[in-house]
Every structure is written in C-alpha cells, then in structure tokens.
C-alpha cells in the first residue's frame, strides 16, 4: 500500500504539471488566434550559459522556416528576436537583454521612442524621450513598426516609473517592465509578419535615396 501510495503521489505530481502545461498552451493558442499573420509554436528547450545575457534556445530552426531577426512572442507580448538559426534549433535574445532594443510608441498618444533592455528581466528603459513629453506611469508601449524586425502594434512593456531629473536634463528617465513573462514562458510564437518598412528598405538599391512608407 505504501508503494502504491508513493506511485500515485508521483502520478498526481505529473498530472499537475500537465494541467499547467495545457493551460499555458491554451493561452498561447488564444493569443495566436488573434493574429492575422502566420505563426509557428516553438518550445523553449535551453538557456544560454552566459549569466550576463538573456538568450533562450527554441526547438525550431531553418527546417521550419525560422530566420535571423524574426520576432518572437509569448501569450502576453513581445518575447524577443531570433539572433542565430541552426538546422533544428535557434537562439532567441530576450527583450530584456542589455544588447536588445526595439522601436516603440506609447499606445495612448503615439509618442515614439526606443525601448532597451538593461539585463534585468523586470526592467527596461525608454531612451531619449524629451523632458516635456507626455509620459505617465501605466502607459502601454507597443512596437512602432519603424524597424526591420518587429511589425507594428504588438505590446512590449508598460511604464512603471517616470523620473524627472534636474532642470538641466533634456531627457526623462523612464523605466518600464516587459509584458511578456520572460522568466516563465515555455512556449512561444515565432511571427512571420514583417514591418512594411523592412519590405521597402530591402527592395531599394544600395545607392538609392531612402523611401519610407
């Protein structure tokens, strides 16, 4: 009876794990249903051993059509971008990595800025926002679509603190937190949608004047 009890307890633990896993997949499926672009569900299978970086390994690669620079989402928002592609696996740099930046706009008023990682999974910073700008705590930051990797309209972060420095400072010190669950998401979506600006930039000859949509 003791052995059977132990075996049943182990099975209950596994069932609890599977129930949580199914809930996460249902959340990801619900998020993908709201997208008009083609997406590919991928599983996080590894972590970069460098403790100073935030890079994950997913179980999809070149065979599945994954490409370098591809945007990756979780059920809540932007998770990161693909930085290296293998045959069956790829490396994804998280938005909170200190080397990651993404063009965003404030959803409330359209102000554009650059949101950069700090190396802290819970903290990002808006770069070069003028001191007189209308930025408030709680503002949602979404991709602006002005870069070549992230299409417009996907949530990236939320403003948590706006620090106004001395009168001599020209820019605000704005702290935001990612909306994606960077430390817990196991399943992610590789997004095949590209911003319109990327299509225009890639079709222009190298010596041509820039044309913007």
């Amino acid at each position: 009876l003791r052995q059977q009890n132990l075996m049943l307890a182990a099975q209950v633990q596994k069932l609890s794990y599977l129930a949580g896993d199914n809930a996460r997949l249902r959340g990801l499926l619900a998020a993908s249903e709201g997208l008009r672009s083609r997406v590919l569900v991928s599983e996080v299978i590894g972590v970069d051993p460098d403790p100073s970086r935030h890079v994950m390994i997913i179980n999809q690669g070149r065979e599945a059509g994954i490409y370098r620079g591809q945007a990756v989402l979780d059920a809540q928002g932007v998770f990161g971008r693909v930085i290296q592609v293998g045959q069956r696996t790829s490396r994804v740099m998280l938005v909170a990595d200190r080397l990651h930046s993404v063009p965003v706009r404030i959803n409330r008023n359209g102000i554009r800025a650059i949101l950069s990682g700090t190396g802290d999974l819970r903290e990002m910073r808006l770069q070069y926002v003028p001191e007189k700008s209308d930025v408030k705590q709680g503002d949602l930051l979404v991709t602006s679509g002005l870069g070549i990797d992230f299409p417009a309209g996907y949530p990236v972060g939320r403003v948590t603190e706006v620090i106004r420095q001395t009168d001599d400072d020209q820019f605000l010190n704005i702290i935001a937190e990612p909306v994606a669950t960077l430390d817990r998401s196991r399943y992610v979506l590789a997004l095949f949608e590209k911003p319109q600006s990327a299509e225009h930039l890639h079709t222009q000859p190298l010596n041509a004047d820039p044309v913007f949509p």
Side-chain angles (χ1 to χ4, degrees), residues 16-134:
S16 298
Y17 164 78
L18 291 174
D21 218 29
N22 287 335
R24 287 188 288 271
L25 281 171
R26 283 195 297 271
L28 195 64
L29 180 61
S32 66
E33 287 175 349
L35 304 177
R36 288 178 291 180
S37 174
R38 183 168 73 92
V39 295
L40 177 66
V41 177
S42 305
E43 183 179 0
V44 176
I45 60 173
V47 181
D48 194 299
D50 186 348
S52 65
R53 302 296 307 279
H54 294 302
V55 177
M56 301 291 181
I57 302 170
I58 61 174
N59 68 338
Q60 302 286 1
R62 195 175 295 109
E63 286 186 353
I66 300 296
Y67 57 88
R68 186 177 179 184
Q70 187 170 12
V72 178
L73 316 174
D74 75 355
Q76 280 69 45
V78 175
F79 188 77
R81 62 153 61 88
V82 176
I83 59 171
Q84 187 176 4
V85 183
Q87 194 66 16
R88 296 183 179 178
T89 61
S90 301
R91 299 173 75 236
V92 177
M93 180 189 294
L94 304 190
V95 291
D97 189 276
R98 54 188 173 83
L99 298 182
H100 192 284
S101 294
V102 54
V104 298
R105 63 178 173 83
I106 297 175
N107 198 48
R108 177 173 57 86
N109 54 26
I111 292 177
R112 294 188 297 270
I114 301 294
L115 185 62
S116 299
T118 64
D120 185 335
L121 290 177
R122 294 172 297 277
E123 183 176 302
M124 304 174 72
R125 291 183 182 271
L126 274 181
Q127 305 289 335
Y128 309 117
V129 178
E131 196 272 335
K132 300 296 184 181
S133 298
D134 178 19

Side-chain angles (χ1 to χ4, degrees), residues 108-185:
R108 177 173 57 86
N109 54 26
I111 292 177
R112 294 188 297 270
I114 301 294
L115 185 62
S116 299
T118 64
D120 185 335
L121 290 177
R122 294 172 297 277
E123 183 176 302
M124 304 174 72
R125 291 183 182 271
L126 274 181
Q127 305 289 335
Y128 309 117
V129 178
E131 196 272 335
K132 300 296 184 181
S133 298
D134 178 19
V135 185
K136 298 179 181 179
Q137 183 177 354
D139 277 343
L140 178 64
L141 307 172
V142 300
T143 51
S144 65
L146 296 182
I148 62 173
D149 294 331
F150 293 97
Y154 292 95
V156 187
R158 193 174 295 276
V159 175
T160 57
E161 190 173 2
V162 179
I163 303 172
R164 300 186 182 274
Q165 309 281 7
T166 63
D167 295 336
D168 297 334
D169 289 325
Q170 298 180 353
F171 303 106
L172 294 171
N173 183 11
I174 302 174
I175 301 173
E177 63 178 358
V179 296
T181 53
L182 303 179
D183 58 342
R184 295 189 296 277
S185 290

